[in-house]
Amino acid sequence: MKFSAVTTSSRVQKNLGIMRIKTGLTPNISLRFGFCMSLKDPSIPNPDEYNQEGSKLEPAVLFGAHEPIYMALMLNRLKKDGLDPELYLQKMTRAHMNRGATALWPRINDLSDFYELVKDEQNE
């Protein structure tokens, strides 16, 4: 089982660009962090909330050398949600990426906000 390219929504694409200017972090780094935030949220994201008019990111760019770790996290989440990975891996990966980036957006004004967010996440 492998990830396919993930397409962000147009809103997420715009927000990632602004976060890049504010923090200097590339969109794939912000998406990885948001993805983990979304996986931690116990509710199931709705893939239909996010259009597919944004940026398309290939798995090698999005996950880098850590793709097996992200795959394990995603498969674990699908199992927890009772969703068949064969049917839902791509759709729910995209939903978690978009939901996570949307949740991250209002919390990041500069690079130091990531540091504070990491500290907050470790304490939960």
Side-chain angles (χ1 to χ4, degrees), residues 1 3 32 35-36 39 59 63-77 89 97:
M1 192 167 299
F3 286 116
R32 289 176 193 179
F35 178 71
C36 291
L39 290 176
F63 302 113
H66 307 290
E67 187 173 343
I69 295 168
Y70 288 98
M71 177 61 74
L73 290 169
M74 192 64 215
L75 291 174
N76 185 57
R77 177 59 193 254
L89 177 65
M97 285 289 170

Side-chain angles (χ1 to χ4, degrees), residues 54-124:
S55 300
K56 183 176 183 176
L57 294 107
E58 295 297 327
V61 172
L62 189 54
F63 302 113
H66 307 290
E67 187 173 343
I69 295 168
Y70 288 98
M71 177 61 74
L73 290 169
M74 192 64 215
L75 291 174
N76 185 57
R77 177 59 193 254
L78 290 170
K79 181 179 178 184
K80 181 179 176 184
D81 293 341
L83 299 172
D84 181 351
E86 293 290 331
L87 299 174
Y88 289 97
L89 177 65
Q90 308 310 331
K91 183 182 250 191
M92 295 310 291
T93 297
R94 193 177 86 67
H96 279 287
M97 285 289 170
N98 280 284
R99 178 172 78 172
T102 300
L104 186 61
W105 161 249
R107 299 174 75 178
I108 303 298
N109 291 308
D110 60 45
L111 193 55
S112 67
D113 291 332
F114 269 103
Y115 175 72
E116 293 301 319
L117 203 52
V118 168
K119 281 185 4 187
D120 291 347
E121 290 297 317
Q122 286 177 336
N123 292 330
E124 287 184 17

